[in-house]
Amino acid sequence: MSKRGIFEQWVEFVGSATQKRTFHAVGFDHEIDDSLTALADMFNQIQNSQIWEELISFIISEFIKSLEFRINLQHLKESLSLTGFSENSLSLIYREIEMNSEKDEKRTLNKKNVSSNNLEKLAERSKSKVFIVHGHEEGLKQSVARYLEKHGIKPVIISEQPSGSNTIIEQIEEYGDVDFAVVLMTGDDEGRKKGDRKFNSRARQNVILELGYFLGRLGRKHVAVIYENDVEKPSDFSGILYIPYDLHGAWKVKLVKELKSSGFRLDMNLGL
């Protein structure tokens, strides 16, 4: 406000807040509603319509100036024409709109000498880590891990990472910053519904827990389940890709397709 020469209005704003025994919190570490409340109360202290118009114009123009890339602001120009603002106030905003139209679509990319045409390829290349959730079946875990490595993907397996005296949950949180999760459901446990006599093969409870964790963290489109045919699948987990494990390697084709649809750059013929 000091830039606009309206220090008196600021003093009135502070005095009003003091009189009402209220306070205003503004900043990146506060909720946006707090900043909006402070801005509204500040505007209420401005009785001069010209000063109010200048301040609004200044805020809009500074916001446009802060944009790092070009966006379509035509709708803003149309709305401003209905405000009744003076030509001087509008020209301040229109000048920033014109300067914004000359910026690149993704100016942030040019800082790294990356063209917008390569944005999609860059995003795909950056995907390189897959978390493997597993039970006691060592063979399947190693098959999936080594297959991912053939495609240049780093498999993240908790048992192969330093624990640092952390609990399993803390380790998952630490090493769970991945692009995709493959959950291996093998028949390590047995269970049955109360009243039933037959026991069914089930994955270990930690596997089901970690499946839910990564569904929440990554979203179901970035999680795939590879399961042994006789293993009971959990209920209420609709929309998940279930890939049956087979000795002929058909699971590899389905897994690669899922990874490609998630943004990984892979060769379908590699390692089959």
Side-chain angles (χ1 to χ4, degrees):
M1 295 181 71
S2 61
K3 288 185 178 181
R4 309 310 300 170
I6 48 178
F7 181 73
E8 293 180 3
Q9 283 73 22
W10 171 256
V11 172
E12 293 177 3
F13 164 63
V14 174
S16 174
T18 302
Q19 185 178 8
K20 292 186 295 183
R21 296 185 177 181
T22 60
F23 71 93
H24 298 286
V26 181
F28 291 109
D29 56 341
H30 294 284
E31 297 294 334
I32 184 63
D33 289 344
D34 295 335
S35 298
L36 293 176
T37 300
L39 191 62
D41 282 358
M42 183 180 68
F43 284 160
N44 287 334
Q45 303 303 316
I46 302 177
Q47 304 299 323
N48 187 307
S49 60
Q50 181 61 35
I51 293 178
W52 189 88
E53 175 185 314
E54 289 181 1
L55 182 58
I56 294 294
S57 302
F58 175 74
I59 292 174
I60 295 176
S61 61
E62 287 295 307
F63 169 74
I64 299 173
K65 185 187 297 184
S66 70
L67 296 175
E68 295 190 2
F69 52 86
R70 183 175 73 234
I71 62 175
N72 186 359
L73 296 171
Q74 184 59 37
H75 63 288
L76 178 59
K77 293 185 66 174
E78 295 173 355
S79 299
L80 288 170
S81 65
L82 304 176
T83 61
F85 281 8
S86 67
E87 184 176 343
N88 289 337
S89 297
L90 291 177
S91 63
L92 178 68
I93 302 174
Y94 289 162
R95 183 171 64 252
E96 294 300 334
I97 292 177
E98 182 66 25
M99 294 180 66
N100 175 266
S101 67
E102 298 175 357
K103 294 181 179 180
D104 297 324
E105 290 186 7
K106 286 290 183 181
R107 189 179 178 188
T108 51
L109 292 179
N110 289 342
K111 292 179 180 179
K112 299 179 180 179
N113 296 321
V114 181
S115 67
S116 58
N117 294 333
N118 292 327
L119 175 60
E120 184 175 348
K121 294 181 180 179
L122 177 64
E124 289 176 338
R125 286 196 199 99
S126 65
K127 295 192 173 185
S128 60
K129 292 194 295 184
V130 171
F131 195 101
I132 298 180
V133 176
H134 63 90
H136 288 168
E137 177 53 53
E138 187 70 18
L140 179 55
K141 179 187 74 174
Q142 292 299 329
S143 295
V144 174
R146 305 296 80 84
Y147 180 63
L148 291 173
E149 288 177 340
K150 288 182 179 180
H151 286 277
I153 298 173
K154 179 183 179 181
V156 178
I157 302 173
I158 282 294
S159 60
E160 297 178 359
Q161 311 301 322
S163 66
S165 300
N166 291 331
T167 64
I168 292 296
I169 290 297
E170 290 172 334
Q171 291 179 57
I172 293 174
E173 292 175 340
E174 180 179 356
Y175 297 109
D177 184 17
V178 296
D179 308 298
F180 199 90
V182 176
V183 180
L184 308 181
M185 293 181 56
T186 54
D188 302 315
D189 290 350
E190 289 184 335
R192 65 181 181 181
K193 182 179 178 181
K194 186 177 181 179
D196 290 348
R197 293 186 177 182
K198 180 182 178 181
F199 282 89
N200 300 312
S201 294
R202 290 180 176 176
R204 291 189 59 79
Q205 292 180 334
N206 74 285
V207 173
I208 304 302
L209 174 63
E210 292 172 40
L211 168 60
Y213 174 83
F214 281 107
L215 284 174
R217 180 162 183 166
L218 303 177
R220 61 184 178 86
K221 292 184 179 180
H222 303 283
V223 177
V225 176
I226 299 178
Y227 69 99
E228 292 180 336
N229 287 321
D230 60 341
V231 173
E232 182 180 80
K233 294 190 286 292
S235 59
D236 298 330
F237 276 81
S238 60
I240 305 174
L241 175 68
Y242 287 97
I243 302 174
Y245 176 70
D246 66 288
L247 297 177
H248 302 290
W251 63 270
K252 298 179 181 179
V253 177
K254 296 179 180 179
L255 179 59
V256 168
K257 287 182 178 179
E258 196 66 19
L259 289 168
K260 284 178 67 67
S261 68
S262 183
F264 287 80
R265 289 179 58 83
L266 304 175
D267 183 352
M268 291 289 293
N269 300 315
L270 185 64
L272 294 179

PDB file of all heavy atoms in Angstrom, residues 78-99:
ATOM      1  N   GLU A  78     -12.668  -8.306 -21.143  1.00  0.00           N
ATOM      2  CA  GLU A  78     -14.108  -8.093 -21.324  1.00  0.00           C
ATOM      3  C   GLU A  78     -14.786  -7.717 -20.015  1.00  0.00           C
ATOM      4  O   GLU A  78     -15.667  -6.853 -19.982  1.00  0.00           O
ATOM      5  CB  GLU A  78     -14.734  -9.355 -21.910  1.00  0.00           C
ATOM      6  CG  GLU A  78     -14.239  -9.696 -23.315  1.00  0.00           C
ATOM      7  CD  GLU A  78     -14.746 -11.030 -23.811  1.00  0.00           C
ATOM      8  OE1 GLU A  78     -15.407 -11.732 -23.014  1.00  0.00           O
ATOM      9  OE2 GLU A  78     -14.477 -11.382 -24.978  1.00  0.00           O
ATOM     10  N   SER A  79     -14.364  -8.353 -18.923  1.00  0.00           N
ATOM     11  CA  SER A  79     -14.953  -8.041 -17.617  1.00  0.00           C
ATOM     12  C   SER A  79     -14.562  -6.649 -17.146  1.00  0.00           C
ATOM     13  O   SER A  79     -15.380  -5.915 -16.582  1.00  0.00           O
ATOM     14  CB  SER A  79     -14.514  -9.088 -16.581  1.00  0.00           C
ATOM     15  OG  SER A  79     -14.946 -10.375 -16.951  1.00  0.00           O
ATOM     16  N   LEU A  80     -13.316  -6.263 -17.385  1.00  0.00           N
ATOM     17  CA  LEU A  80     -12.844  -4.948 -16.957  1.00  0.00           C
ATOM     18  C   LEU A  80     -13.572  -3.820 -17.669  1.00  0.00           C
ATOM     19  O   LEU A  80     -13.752  -2.731 -17.112  1.00  0.00           O
ATOM     20  CB  LEU A  80     -11.338  -4.833 -17.202  1.00  0.00           C
ATOM     21  CG  LEU A  80     -10.440  -5.644 -16.268  1.00  0.00           C
ATOM     22  CD1 LEU A  80      -9.007  -5.637 -16.778  1.00  0.00           C
ATOM     23  CD2 LEU A  80     -10.503  -5.100 -14.844  1.00  0.00           C
ATOM     24  N   SER A  81     -13.998  -4.084 -18.893  1.00  0.00           N
ATOM     25  CA  SER A  81     -14.700  -3.037 -19.652  1.00  0.00           C
ATOM     26  C   SER A  81     -16.035  -2.674 -19.026  1.00  0.00           C
ATOM     27  O   SER A  81     -16.615  -1.626 -19.336  1.00  0.00           O
ATOM     28  CB  SER A  81     -14.905  -3.502 -21.097  1.00  0.00           C
ATOM     29  OG  SER A  81     -15.774  -4.624 -21.146  1.00  0.00           O
ATOM     30  N   LEU A  82     -16.512  -3.522 -18.115  1.00  0.00           N
ATOM     31  CA  LEU A  82     -17.815  -3.279 -17.477  1.00  0.00           C
ATOM     32  C   LEU A  82     -17.687  -2.639 -16.093  1.00  0.00           C
ATOM     33  O   LEU A  82     -18.694  -2.330 -15.467  1.00  0.00           O
ATOM     34  CB  LEU A  82     -18.579  -4.605 -17.341  1.00  0.00           C
ATOM     35  CG  LEU A  82     -18.812  -5.400 -18.629  1.00  0.00           C
ATOM     36  CD1 LEU A  82     -19.494  -6.730 -18.319  1.00  0.00           C
ATOM     37  CD2 LEU A  82     -19.675  -4.598 -19.606  1.00  0.00           C
ATOM     38  N   THR A  83     -16.469  -2.424 -15.633  1.00  0.00           N
ATOM     39  CA  THR A  83     -16.262  -1.919 -14.270  1.00  0.00           C
ATOM     40  C   THR A  83     -16.460  -0.416 -14.150  1.00  0.00           C
ATOM     41  O   THR A  83     -16.720   0.084 -13.064  1.00  0.00           O
ATOM     42  CB  THR A  83     -14.841  -2.258 -13.788  1.00  0.00           C
ATOM     43  OG1 THR A  83     -13.889  -1.632 -14.661  1.00  0.00           O
ATOM     44  CG2 THR A  83     -14.624  -3.768 -13.771  1.00  0.00           C
ATOM     45  N   GLY A  84     -16.310   0.280 -15.253  1.00  0.00           N
ATOM     46  CA  GLY A  84     -16.387   1.737 -15.180  1.00  0.00           C
ATOM     47  C   GLY A  84     -15.106   2.374 -14.702  1.00  0.00           C
ATOM     48  O   GLY A  84     -15.096   3.562 -14.343  1.00  0.00           O
ATOM     49  N   PHE A  85     -14.003   1.626 -14.685  1.00  0.00           N
ATOM     50  CA  PHE A  85     -12.714   2.170 -14.289  1.00  0.00           C
ATOM     51  C   PHE A  85     -12.263   3.220 -15.298  1.00  0.00           C
ATOM     52  O   PHE A  85     -12.630   3.176 -16.472  1.00  0.00           O
ATOM     53  CB  PHE A  85     -11.663   1.070 -14.198  1.00  0.00           C
ATOM     54  CG  PHE A  85     -11.738   0.245 -12.940  1.00  0.00           C
ATOM     55  CD1 PHE A  85     -12.788   0.391 -12.043  1.00  0.00           C
ATOM     56  CD2 PHE A  85     -10.753  -0.688 -12.647  1.00  0.00           C
ATOM     57  CE1 PHE A  85     -12.864  -0.370 -10.891  1.00  0.00           C
ATOM     58  CE2 PHE A  85     -10.810  -1.458 -11.498  1.00  0.00           C
ATOM     59  CZ  PHE A  85     -11.879  -1.297 -10.612  1.00  0.00           C
ATOM     60  N   SER A  86     -11.443   4.143 -14.825  1.00  0.00           N
ATOM     61  CA  SER A  86     -10.914   5.191 -15.694  1.00  0.00           C
ATOM     62  C   SER A  86      -9.952   4.593 -16.713  1.00  0.00           C
ATOM     63  O   SER A  86      -9.456   3.477 -16.560  1.00  0.00           O
ATOM     64  CB  SER A  86     -10.197   6.247 -14.864  1.00  0.00           C
ATOM     65  OG  SER A  86      -9.029   5.693 -14.270  1.00  0.00           O
ATOM     66  N   GLU A  87      -9.682   5.379 -17.758  1.00  0.00           N
ATOM     67  CA  GLU A  87      -8.780   4.921 -18.805  1.00  0.00           C
ATOM     68  C   GLU A  87      -7.373   4.679 -18.264  1.00  0.00           C
ATOM     69  O   GLU A  87      -6.684   3.743 -18.694  1.00  0.00           O
ATOM     70  CB  GLU A  87      -8.739   5.956 -19.933  1.00  0.00           C
ATOM     71  CG  GLU A  87      -7.904   5.519 -21.125  1.00  0.00           C
ATOM     72  CD  GLU A  87      -7.974   6.521 -22.261  1.00  0.00           C
ATOM     73  OE1 GLU A  87      -8.899   7.363 -22.256  1.00  0.00           O
ATOM     74  OE2 GLU A  87      -7.096   6.461 -23.147  1.00  0.00           O
ATOM     75  N   ASN A  88      -6.938   5.510 -17.340  1.00  0.00           N
ATOM     76  CA  ASN A  88      -5.600   5.340 -16.764  1.00  0.00           C
ATOM     77  C   ASN A  88      -5.479   4.019 -16.006  1.00  0.00           C
ATOM     78  O   ASN A  88      -4.469   3.313 -16.114  1.00  0.00           O
ATOM     79  CB  ASN A  88      -5.282   6.504 -15.822  1.00  0.00           C
ATOM     80  CG  ASN A  88      -5.044   7.793 -16.567  1.00  0.00           C
ATOM     81  OD1 ASN A  88      -4.701   7.782 -17.747  1.00  0.00           O
ATOM     82  ND2 ASN A  88      -5.234   8.921 -15.881  1.00  0.00           N
ATOM     83  N   SER A  89      -6.519   3.683 -15.222  1.00  0.00           N
ATOM     84  CA  SER A  89      -6.490   2.433 -14.464  1.00  0.00           C
ATOM     85  C   SER A  89      -6.518   1.226 -15.389  1.00  0.00           C
ATOM     86  O   SER A  89      -5.786   0.246 -15.190  1.00  0.00           O
ATOM     87  CB  SER A  89      -7.674   2.364 -13.495  1.00  0.00           C
ATOM     88  OG  SER A  89      -7.604   3.400 -12.530  1.00  0.00           O
ATOM     89  N   LEU A  90      -7.360   1.294 -16.422  1.00  0.00           N
ATOM     90  CA  LEU A  90      -7.463   0.174 -17.352  1.00  0.00           C
ATOM     91  C   LEU A  90      -6.198   0.005 -18.181  1.00  0.00           C
ATOM     92  O   LEU A  90      -5.781  -1.118 -18.468  1.00  0.00           O
ATOM     93  CB  LEU A  90      -8.671   0.372 -18.277  1.00  0.00           C
ATOM     94  CG  LEU A  90     -10.052   0.264 -17.616  1.00  0.00           C
ATOM     95  CD1 LEU A  90     -11.144   0.545 -18.627  1.00  0.00           C
ATOM     96  CD2 LEU A  90     -10.255  -1.113 -16.990  1.00  0.00           C
ATOM     97  N   SER A  91      -5.577   1.113 -18.551  1.00  0.00           N
ATOM     98  CA  SER A  91      -4.371   1.028 -19.376  1.00  0.00           C
ATOM     99  C   SER A  91      -3.241   0.329 -18.628  1.00  0.00           C
ATOM    100  O   SER A  91      -2.420  -0.370 -19.227  1.00  0.00           O
ATOM    101  CB  SER A  91      -3.927   2.431 -19.810  1.00  0.00           C
ATOM    102  OG  SER A  91      -3.583   3.229 -18.689  1.00  0.00           O
ATOM    103  N   LEU A  92      -3.202   0.505 -17.298  1.00  0.00           N
ATOM    104  CA  LEU A  92      -2.192  -0.169 -16.486  1.00  0.00           C
ATOM    105  C   LEU A  92      -2.333  -1.686 -16.589  1.00  0.00           C
ATOM    106  O   LEU A  92      -1.352  -2.413 -16.745  1.00  0.00           O
ATOM    107  CB  LEU A  92      -2.318   0.281 -15.022  1.00  0.00           C
ATOM    108  CG  LEU A  92      -1.370  -0.370 -14.011  1.00  0.00           C
ATOM    109  CD1 LEU A  92       0.060   0.072 -14.262  1.00  0.00           C
ATOM    110  CD2 LEU A  92      -1.798  -0.021 -12.584  1.00  0.00           C
ATOM    111  N   ILE A  93      -3.585  -2.145 -16.545  1.00  0.00           N
ATOM    112  CA  ILE A  93      -3.853  -3.586 -16.623  1.00  0.00           C
ATOM    113  C   ILE A  93      -3.663  -4.090 -18.040  1.00  0.00           C
ATOM    114  O   ILE A  93      -3.055  -5.154 -18.266  1.00  0.00           O
ATOM    115  CB  ILE A  93      -5.280  -3.891 -16.122  1.00  0.00           C
ATOM    116  CG1 ILE A  93      -5.463  -3.387 -14.682  1.00  0.00           C
ATOM    117  CG2 ILE A  93      -5.560  -5.390 -16.211  1.00  0.00           C
ATOM    118  CD1 ILE A  93      -6.883  -3.509 -14.172  1.00  0.00           C
ATOM    119  N   TYR A  94      -4.175  -3.321 -19.019  1.00  0.00           N
ATOM    120  CA  TYR A  94      -4.075  -3.756 -20.421  1.00  0.00           C
ATOM    121  C   TYR A  94      -2.613  -3.891 -20.853  1.00  0.00           C
ATOM    122  O   TYR A  94      -2.271  -4.754 -21.654  1.00  0.00           O
ATOM    123  CB  TYR A  94      -4.796  -2.762 -21.325  1.00  0.00           C
ATOM    124  CG  TYR A  94      -6.300  -2.800 -21.194  1.00  0.00           C
ATOM    125  CD1 TYR A  94      -7.089  -1.737 -21.658  1.00  0.00           C
ATOM    126  CD2 TYR A  94      -6.941  -3.883 -20.604  1.00  0.00           C
ATOM    127  CE1 TYR A  94      -8.470  -1.768 -21.544  1.00  0.00           C
ATOM    128  CE2 TYR A  94      -8.318  -3.910 -20.486  1.00  0.00           C
ATOM    129  CZ  TYR A  94      -9.082  -2.856 -20.946  1.00  0.00           C
ATOM    130  OH  TYR A  94     -10.441  -2.882 -20.827  1.00  0.00           O
ATOM    131  N   ARG A  95      -1.754  -3.024 -20.336  1.00  0.00           N
ATOM    132  CA  ARG A  95      -0.340  -3.101 -20.678  1.00  0.00           C
ATOM    133  C   ARG A  95       0.263  -4.419 -20.199  1.00  0.00           C
ATOM    134  O   ARG A  95       1.038  -5.063 -20.919  1.00  0.00           O
ATOM    135  CB  ARG A  95       0.419  -1.920 -20.080  1.00  0.00           C
ATOM    136  CG  ARG A  95       1.910  -1.906 -20.468  1.00  0.00           C
ATOM    137  CD  ARG A  95       2.608  -0.639 -20.068  1.00  0.00           C
ATOM    138  NE  ARG A  95       2.655  -0.455 -18.632  1.00  0.00           N
ATOM    139  CZ  ARG A  95       1.935   0.450 -17.961  1.00  0.00           C
ATOM    140  NH1 ARG A  95       1.122   1.262 -18.602  1.00  0.00           N
ATOM    141  NH2 ARG A  95       2.041   0.560 -16.641  1.00  0.00           N
ATOM    142  N   GLU A  96      -0.102  -4.846 -18.994  1.00  0.00           N
ATOM    143  CA  GLU A  96       0.412  -6.117 -18.470  1.00  0.00           C
ATOM    144  C   GLU A  96      -0.176  -7.303 -19.230  1.00  0.00           C
ATOM    145  O   GLU A  96       0.508  -8.317 -19.441  1.00  0.00           O
ATOM    146  CB  GLU A  96       0.091  -6.243 -16.981  1.00  0.00           C
ATOM    147  CG  GLU A  96       0.810  -5.239 -16.098  1.00  0.00           C
ATOM    148  CD  GLU A  96       2.318  -5.349 -16.199  1.00  0.00           C
ATOM    149  OE1 GLU A  96       2.833  -6.446 -16.523  1.00  0.00           O
ATOM    150  OE2 GLU A  96       3.002  -4.326 -15.977  1.00  0.00           O
ATOM    151  N   ILE A  97      -1.431  -7.180 -19.665  1.00  0.00           N
ATOM    152  CA  ILE A  97      -2.035  -8.252 -20.470  1.00  0.00           C
ATOM    153  C   ILE A  97      -1.296  -8.393 -21.788  1.00  0.00           C
ATOM    154  O   ILE A  97      -1.019  -9.502 -22.266  1.00  0.00           O
ATOM    155  CB  ILE A  97      -3.535  -7.972 -20.703  1.00  0.00           C
ATOM    156  CG1 ILE A  97      -4.312  -8.090 -19.388  1.00  0.00           C
ATOM    157  CG2 ILE A  97      -4.110  -8.932 -21.743  1.00  0.00           C
ATOM    158  CD1 ILE A  97      -5.785  -7.766 -19.504  1.00  0.00           C
ATOM    159  N   GLU A  98      -0.944  -7.264 -22.381  1.00  0.00           N
ATOM    160  CA  GLU A  98      -0.220  -7.289 -23.651  1.00  0.00           C
ATOM    161  C   GLU A  98       1.174  -7.910 -23.472  1.00  0.00           C
ATOM    162  O   GLU A  98       1.616  -8.707 -24.317  1.00  0.00           O
ATOM    163  CB  GLU A  98      -0.099  -5.866 -24.197  1.00  0.00           C
ATOM    164  CG  GLU A  98       0.602  -5.772 -25.544  1.00  0.00           C
ATOM    165  CD  GLU A  98      -0.194  -6.427 -26.649  1.00  0.00           C
ATOM    166  OE1 GLU A  98      -1.430  -6.536 -26.517  1.00  0.00           O
ATOM    167  OE2 GLU A  98       0.431  -6.848 -27.653  1.00  0.00           O
ATOM    168  N   MET A  99       1.834  -7.565 -22.389  1.00  0.00           N
ATOM    169  CA  MET A  99       3.159  -8.131 -22.129  1.00  0.00           C
ATOM    170  C   MET A  99       3.068  -9.630 -21.849  1.00  0.00           C
ATOM    171  O   MET A  99       3.948 -10.399 -22.235  1.00  0.00           O
ATOM    172  CB  MET A  99       3.821  -7.406 -20.949  1.00  0.00           C
ATOM    173  CG  MET A  99       4.143  -5.945 -21.235  1.00  0.00           C
ATOM    174  SD  MET A  99       4.928  -5.101 -19.846  1.00  0.00           S
ATOM    175  CE  MET A  99       6.484  -5.985 -19.766  1.00  0.00           C
TER     176      MET A  99
END
